[in-house]
Amino acid sequence: MAKRKRALITGITGQDGSYLTEFLLAKDYEVYGLVRRSSSFNTDRIDHLYQDPHESDVKLRLVYGDLNDASSLNQIIKTLKPDEIYNLAAQSHVRVSFDIPEYTAEIVGLGATRILEAIRDSGVMSKYYQASSSEMFGNSAPPQNERTPFYPRSPYAAAKVYAYWMAVNYREAYDIFACNGILFNHESPRRGETFVTRKITMALARIKHGVQKDLFLGNLESKRDWGFAGDYVEAMWLMLQQDKPDDYVIATGQTYSVKDFLIEAFGYVGLDWEKYVKIDQRYFRPTEVDCLLGDSRKAKKILHWEPKTDFKQLVRMMVDADMACVEKQIYGTKGRR
Ligand code: NAP
Ligand code: G4F
């Protein structure tokens, strides 16, 4: 019997970590997830995948560590000798990165370097996936592809640019199989509730059920290339299955404004968004990224990857999930009677 591949995922408790874990377990991987210590449980996105470590043939295990702590990363990588490492952990909120720029650089930038150094130092030569971001393109005119210059517009984006180049450098300097997935925005019912799409769908469900009056937002004019996270994790895996490491843009090739998202979501449940949305300056950023629109022809040609979910399907999937979630909160586990 062929030996199971072993993957280490940082950021396993996040949106992408949960979908990637499902994807790799379905491919019969042994998955190790790096979790940081928290005073309350932070594993709800992967609770449905939990396996009692006392059972036999356990395929998912969690290990304590932190991207801020090189010693834990060195130890984990040396001991586990993973075939593949997916570095998804980050302080991933762009607006928040203006409030905590130094911490953001520490985790997003230096955290990636710590993992690359741990791989080099261990001699294990695990394949490495770096969660790079379309935010790195910032002010560069759309459409953006692998040859578009970076022009970061936030501490988060600047830190991601540094991590991107460190992955390239370790590939060229030490022959490490390091890939950058330059992913455009991807969303899902598991998206964090402070990102704009989920903030909208959650508020909409609460408004529809009469438990919220207003929705406060910032800039409604910015445009994003929004895809479904469940589709995007397959691209991460595909990058590490190629003969040669490389960098790829992953996107839908369609761009919509925040206002478009509001129109689609509120329209779906028969409400007029303009009656509920109010503008609050606190949600604006000192520097904004106006328009992201990805050109992922390289991924299509080499990885044979294409998105399966379009904008309308994504919005409806998120609204349906949050309507069910709010109903459960209001009416209990039996839902509306
Ligand atoms: P997310 O939901 O915010 O998840 C972030 C994950 O990182 C969580 O598991 C979090 O753990 C973990 N984390 C944060 N700080 C850490 C630390 N110091 N040490 C260890 N773990 C830490 O993010 P996501 O949307 O899944 O995105 C995954 C990755 O892709 C991120 O690197 C993000 O920057 C990047 N990215 C995302 C998108 C997108 O549209 N979603 C697009 C491009 C790139 P806790 O649960 O304990 O907080
Ligand atoms: O949902 P957002 O916070 O996502 P943003 O800034 O595009 O970043 C996300 O995608 C990146 C990939 O391009 C990732 F790298 C990053 O980790 C993260 O996942 O904001 C989207 C847009 C922005 O233009 C923002 O100004 O929505 C606008 N917006 C308007 N009102 C708001 C709000 N954003 C948030 N979070 N909250 C608001 O109330």
Side-chain angles (χ1 to χ4, degrees):
M1 204 172 73
K3 194 176 144 285
R4 252 182 206 144
K5 276 196 187 172
R6 181 176 284 177
L8 171 66
I9 303 177
T10 75
I12 193 167
T13 56
Q15 172 189 254
D16 292 7
S18 68
Y19 283 106
L20 181 64
T21 304
E22 280 171 6
F23 180 86
L24 293 178
L25 289 175
K27 291 216 168 286
D28 201 32
Y29 273 61
E30 190 183 10
V31 176
Y32 282 81
L34 182 99
V35 291
R36 54 181 177 162
R37 198 266 159 181
S38 162
S39 66
S40 51
F41 284 114
N42 60 352
T43 55
D44 34 314
R45 288 190 181 101
I46 51 168
D47 280 349
H48 61 295
L49 304 170
Y50 176 80
Q51 295 171 350
D52 184 341
H54 305 99
E55 301 287 318
S56 59
D57 201 28
V58 176
K59 287 168 62 187
L60 171 63
R61 289 176 194 274
L62 302 180
V63 288
Y64 279 111
D66 198 298
L67 254 61
N68 207 5
D69 180 36
S71 62
S72 62
L73 299 172
N74 288 331
Q75 187 58 32
I76 288 165
I77 290 172
K78 251 186 202 135
T79 315
L80 295 181
K81 301 182 176 50
D83 299 289
E84 298 169 9
I85 299 176
Y86 296 87
N87 180 27
L88 310 183
Q91 188 305 92
S92 71
H93 202 284
V94 174
R95 172 67 192 82
V96 173
S97 78
F98 288 96
D99 299 332
I100 48 171
E102 186 183 331
Y103 177 75
T104 302
E106 185 71 49
I107 304 308
V108 173
L110 284 176
T113 302
R114 290 186 185 104
I115 299 176
L116 287 162
E117 262 302 276
I119 295 173
R120 185 173 80 85
D121 189 52
S122 69
V124 177
M125 299 305 269
S126 312
K127 292 183 177 183
Y128 175 80
Y129 173 85
Q130 169 59 26
S132 284
S133 166
S134 52
E135 274 291 304
M136 301 187 306
F137 295 125
N139 243 8
S140 276
Q144 295 100 358
N145 65 25
E146 294 81 3
R147 292 177 304 284
T148 304
F150 298 142
Y151 187 156
R153 296 268 286 172
S154 64
Y156 167 82
K160 281 284 184 192
V161 170
Y162 167 70
Y164 169 97
W165 283 115
M166 289 306 279
V168 172
N169 183 247
Y170 274 58
R171 180 164 81 209
E172 294 173 353
Y174 307 118
D175 217 14
I176 288 174
F177 195 110
C179 297
N180 283 291
I182 309 174
L183 271 53
F184 282 61
N185 296 51
H186 44 281
E187 319 291 314
S188 74
R190 295 183 204 165
R191 185 59 143 151
E193 288 179 36
T194 60
F195 296 97
V196 77
T197 56
R198 186 80 201 286
K199 186 172 167 183
I200 292 171
T201 58
M202 199 63 195
L204 167 56
R206 291 172 57 78
I207 288 167
K208 186 76 183 167
H209 283 94
V211 289
Q212 183 170 332
K213 273 196 355 240
D214 304 313
L215 165 59
F216 290 94
L217 294 173
N219 180 11
L220 307 186
E221 304 306 326
S222 58
K223 294 174 114 183
R224 292 291 182 270
D225 181 328
W226 274 303
F228 171 50
D231 293 347
Y232 284 34
V233 297
E234 183 189 12
M236 299 177 186
W237 175 77
L238 283 168
M239 286 176 214
L240 299 195
Q241 312 313 309
Q242 304 305 304
D243 292 336
K244 284 195 298 199
D246 208 343
D247 310 315
Y248 299 89
V249 158
I250 300 298
T252 68
Q254 304 283 323
T255 191
Y256 294 92
S257 66
V258 175
K259 197 184 282 172
D260 293 330
F261 195 101
L262 284 167
I263 293 168
E264 188 63 42
F266 277 72
Y268 179 46
V269 298
L271 293 179
D272 176 1
W273 69 273
E274 289 183 276
K275 289 192 179 141
Y276 305 95
V277 173
K278 303 206 161 40
I279 301 302
D280 185 336
Q281 287 303 319
R282 88 175 72 181
Y283 298 116
F284 283 75
R285 288 131 197 228
T287 39
E288 177 63 279
V289 170
D290 293 328
C291 183
L292 293 174
L293 168 62
D295 162 11
S296 58
R297 279 176 296 177
K298 179 176 172 184
K300 185 176 179 189
K301 185 165 171 235
I302 298 173
L303 305 178
H304 307 294
W305 178 87
E306 274 188 280
K308 298 184 182 81
T309 314
D310 69 19
F311 178 71
K312 194 180 244 186
Q313 289 169 317
L314 175 68
V315 175
R316 291 178 176 206
M317 177 203 304
M318 292 178 70
V319 173
D320 286 341
D322 279 336
M323 291 293 274
C325 173
V326 170
E327 277 187 17
K328 206 162 138 190
Q329 282 169 7
I330 298 173
Y331 304 107
T333 48
K334 294 196 175 92
R336 191 204 291 267
R337 272 170 267 187

